[in-house]
């Protein structure tokens, strides 16, 4: 434990101040088909165009070639041809596509703008004896988002971060500059423009948004800097265009969207089976149980402890019957032990990282002295992936990669020494240059190995550490948080910025990993967690257990209620995942992404959207039953009470312990399905599609359901559209077209409400689908529904394939119909 002695004045050494110099003077340029090279006294710059809206500027010092090789974080691309360069009035104007780069010849500063003249930042390059620096301007109103998994609030302006993957067991606090993930992406947003800047550097990178009020600087220590400027013009355009650089997540198996339970550790086979039986006997849905390090023999990866887990095959069989999957932890550290096959094979084949003198690098982690696979080498990645046959033989299709920063207990830096050598597919580099990408390449090895071994089944990989592009291979959880209310709040801004940084499938340990959760905290965190893309409860050894039933009946029932809500919502959630695989947009979204001109959304870190229609505003302080919620423009309804609100305003939400403030936008289409105790196929034979009209003004806006005939103010945003995705939920056949897309839309006019539904893609042959439409908050009393007969009571809809019923008390219209593959359903409700 540290004391005040840590800041004793006599112990504080003044930091040496680096002197930065301009990279100029300018010496000339060379224009070729696919790039422009700019020469200066101290550096060379290479300009390339990745897409019509993404320009790459590479910088190398002291005459070195600026033709830098992109890191393995980036997808391959072919630079566009056809640059136009004009030298005029001490400036170089370089134009191609929708990008204009203007370089000041005297200072070699530059700015980027679009072909329409929208400015995408001004920058100045400089260097010191140890680093290259790029200084960028910030307008007074500019917000900075992105930077992946970092502490603090949604807007990163005023903070400083060091991109250096670190095993951080200390409590995650705002002044912590490094965590497990390093994604050096800055999204610069103002009301009239949004653009992005990605710095591709797997080594140490400093991003300082604190030192100056009107500028920020980026610093790399390698003597090189590789910058990608992403023009918008819109916020969503920047996020989608960034995914062109680093990729989008593949569609995960449906079971990985279910509720997941973990602990460090479930200690033996009997405990795991009992845990699974408890979930089923208590009727709490769950799909996944995790095995932490105690399942292994002496912490050796690719082994089972035969005392604790004497019959893994029988355990897996019993769990499969109960509808559970097992995800075991696999760390990179391989125990140094003669007779251990993984170690001996890796030594014989030269698969481990080496010191400069050619010896295997050895560092201590859970197994004691350990060696580490060199994942920068393709052959090593293939070797590591093939080792997972051990798990696949037990029916395991999900792997948890941890400690992969990599964490090294006995190193002064708590990771590999900077001078460790990586083979890097024939282009050797030091660990100091490759550190942040080590975990990405481990996840790549795991994912690709499992993908090959599973022979058509989709793998699932969870990782703690990562770099830009990690979404192509793994889901991310935010590491060793604590059972603190403030960490619950922090998990929202971390998840939102991860989503903006390409990592759509992410989440935090529900209930907190360290410390001791209370029942109230678990209830509130579960309410939040079921609306995050990754939904796992995880706690540490020697802390209080926090399975849903641990505390009391009230907490158990709250957890059950919200976990069940997630399972009913799977058609909506799975469709959002599919959309993310196409667009790169996050599933869990900050309000500013959907409402980029609304300044009230710019700093909102404690509420978010799931998709664009469902607004989640958790309670994250103990004892609180009220909170302020901001509703953006449009009409919004309290999901639980139906109370109608005009947007563009703050409201006070009342939220007793069993209530999560939840709001739904007028025009929303929310597909749900029947409750299951675990996920099945993502072919929804029965769909309950909830549609939200515009509601009423006047007394009805306060929840008076009797004021049906009140005058209505119509908003165009009440027109709704949603694309429902379905496939088998498990295989990769969707990539060959074996999936369905159902387009659903609504339109509300005076005394008329129209519902349309049709298959846009019908790649899965199946029987007719039964659909129950529930229309909430109609603005009129329905009198007829075309081609469908009214039934006298709601119970008749359970017996018939077609029919409609109107509940006057709740102002809800129920319409049951069927959808066939080659038909379009159009339902017109007249009032």
């Amino acid at each position: 434990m540290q004391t005040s002695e840590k800041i004793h004045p006599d112990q504080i050494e003044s930091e040496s101040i680096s002197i930065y110099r301009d990279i100029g003077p300018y010496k000339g340029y060379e224009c070729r088909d696919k790039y422009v090279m700019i020469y200066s006294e101290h550096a060379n710059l290479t300009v390339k165009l990745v897409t019509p809206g993404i320009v790459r500027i590479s910088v190398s010092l002291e005459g070195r070639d600026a033709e830098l090789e992109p890191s393995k974080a980036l997808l391959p691309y072919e630079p566009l041809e056809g640059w136009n360069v004009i030298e005029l009035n001490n400036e170089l104007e370089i134009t191609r596509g929708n990008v204009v780069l203007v370089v000041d010849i005297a200072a070699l500063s530059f700015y980027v703008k679009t072909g329409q003249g929208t400015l995408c930042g001004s920058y100045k390059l400089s260097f010191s004896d140890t680093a290259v620096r790029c200084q960028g301007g910030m307008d007074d109103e500019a917000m900075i988002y992105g930077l992946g998994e970092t502490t603090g609030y949604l807007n990163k302006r005023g903070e400083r971060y060091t991109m250096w993957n670190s095993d951080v067991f200390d409590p995650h606090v705002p002044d912590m500059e490094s965590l497990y993930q390093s994604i050096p992406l800055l999204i610069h947003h103002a009301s009239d423009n949004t653009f992005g800047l990605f710095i591709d550097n797997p080594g140490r990178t400093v991003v300082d948004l604190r030192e100056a009020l009107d500028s920020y600087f980026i610093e790399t220590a390698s003597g090189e800097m590789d910058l990608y400027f992403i023009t918008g013009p819109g916020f969503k355009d920047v996020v989608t265009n960034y995914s062109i650089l680093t990729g989008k997540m593949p569609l995960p198996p449906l079971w990985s969207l279910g509720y997941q339970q973990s602990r460090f550790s479930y200690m033996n086979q009997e405990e795991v089976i009992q845990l699974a039986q408890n979930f089923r006997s208590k009727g709490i849905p769950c799909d996944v149980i995790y095995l932490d390090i105690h399942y292994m023999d002496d912490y050796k990866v690719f082994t089972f402890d035969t005392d604790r887990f004497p019959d893994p095959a029988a355990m897996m069989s019993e769990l499969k019957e109960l509808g559970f999957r097992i995800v075991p932890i696999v760390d990179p550290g391989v125990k140094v032990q003669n007779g251990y096959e993984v170690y001996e094979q890796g030594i014989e084949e030269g698969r481990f990282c080496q010191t400069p003198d050619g010896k295997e690098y050895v560092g201590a982690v859970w197994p004691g002295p350990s060696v580490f696979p060199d994942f920068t080498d393709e052959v090593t990645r293939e070797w590591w992936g093939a080792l997972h046959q051990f798990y696949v033989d037990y029916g395991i299709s999900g792997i948890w990669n941890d400690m992969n920063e990599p964490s090294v207990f006995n190193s002064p830096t708590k990771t590999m020494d900077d001078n460790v050598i990586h083979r890097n597919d024939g282009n050797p580099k030091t660990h100091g240059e490759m550190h942040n990408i080590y975990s990405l390449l481990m996840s790549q090895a795991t994912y690709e190995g499992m993908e090959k071994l599973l022979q058509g089944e989709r793998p699932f990989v969870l990782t703690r550490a990562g770099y830009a592009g990690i979404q192509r291979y793994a889901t991310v959880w935010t590491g060793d948080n604590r059972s603190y209310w403030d960490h619950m709040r922090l998990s929202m801004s971390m998840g939102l910025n991860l989503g903006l940084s390409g990592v759509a499938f992410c989440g935090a340990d529900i209930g907190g990993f360290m410390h001791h959760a209370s029942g109230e905290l678990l209830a509130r965190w579960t309410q939040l967690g079921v609306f995050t893309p990754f939904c796992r409860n995880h706690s540490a050894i020697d802390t209080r257990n926090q399975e849903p039933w641990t505390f009391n009946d009230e907490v158990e029932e709250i957890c059950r209620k919200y976990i069940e809500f997630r399972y009913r919502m799977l058609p909506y959630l799975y469709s959002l995942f599919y959309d993310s695989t196409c667009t790169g947009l996050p599933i869990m979204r900050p309000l500013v992404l959907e409402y980029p001109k609304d300044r009230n959304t710019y700093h909102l870190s404690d509420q978010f959207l799931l998709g664009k229609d469902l607004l989640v505003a958790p309670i994250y302080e103990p004892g609180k039953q009220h909170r302020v919620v901001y509703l953006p423009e449009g009409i919004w309804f309290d999901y639980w009470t139906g109370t109608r609100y005009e947007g563009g305003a703050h409201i006070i939400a009342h939220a007793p312990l069993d209530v999560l403030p939840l709001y739904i936008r007028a025009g929303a289409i929310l597909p749900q399905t029947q409750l299951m105790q675990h996920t099945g196929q993502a072919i929804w034979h029965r769909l309950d599609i909830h549609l939200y009209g515009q509601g009423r003004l006047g007394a009805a806006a306060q929840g008076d359901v009797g004021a049906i005939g009140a005058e209505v103010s119509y908003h165009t945003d009440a027109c709704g559209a949603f694309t429902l995705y379905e496939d088998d939920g498990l295989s990769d056949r969707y990539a060959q077209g074996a999936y369905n897309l159902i387009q659903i839309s609504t339109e509300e006019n005076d005394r008329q409400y129209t519902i349309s539904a049709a298959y846009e893609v019908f790649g899965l042959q199946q029987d007719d689908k039964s659909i129950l439409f529930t229309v909430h908050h109609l603005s009129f009393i329905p009198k007829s529904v075309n081609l469908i007969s009214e039934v006298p009571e709601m119970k008749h809809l359970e017996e018939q394939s077609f029919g409609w019923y109107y509940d006057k008390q709740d102002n809800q219209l129920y319409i049951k119909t069927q959808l066939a593959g080659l038909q379009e359903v159009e339902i017109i409700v007249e009032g």
Side-chain angles (χ1 to χ4, degrees), residues 255 257-261 275-276 278-289 322-324 526 530 535 537 548-549 556-570 674-680:
W255 59 263
L257 275 61
Y259 177 78
Q260 308 184 27
Q261 187 66 50
L275 177 73
N278 283 344
F279 272 103
R280 296 297 177 250
S281 66
K282 293 177 179 295
I284 301 175
C286 184
D287 267 83
V288 184
I289 295 172
L322 292 169
F324 282 92
T526 302
V530 299
C535 181
N537 178 318
W549 53 82
E556 179 181 334
E557 181 53 38
I558 291 170
C559 291
R560 180 185 294 106
K561 169 185 173 180
Y562 284 91
I563 294 170
E564 287 179 347
F565 191 109
R566 183 179 178 95
Y567 276 73
R568 290 192 184 97
M569 288 268 292
L570 281 173
Q674 293 172 304
L675 177 65
M676 302 172 288
Q677 288 301 298
H678 59 90
T679 58

Side-chain angles (χ1 to χ4, degrees), residues 42-56:
H42 299 290
N44 292 333
L45 282 68
T46 301
V47 182
K48 294 183 178 180
L49 201 66
V50 181
T51 73
I54 303 175
V55 62
R56 176 189 181 195

Side-chain angles (χ1 to χ4, degrees), residues 583-601:
T583 65
L585 294 175
I587 296 157
M588 174 184 178
R589 302 178 182 178
L591 272 69
V592 65
L593 184 65
E594 295 289 342
Y595 302 91
K597 295 186 181 299
D598 185 346
R599 296 179 186 276
N600 288 312
T601 68

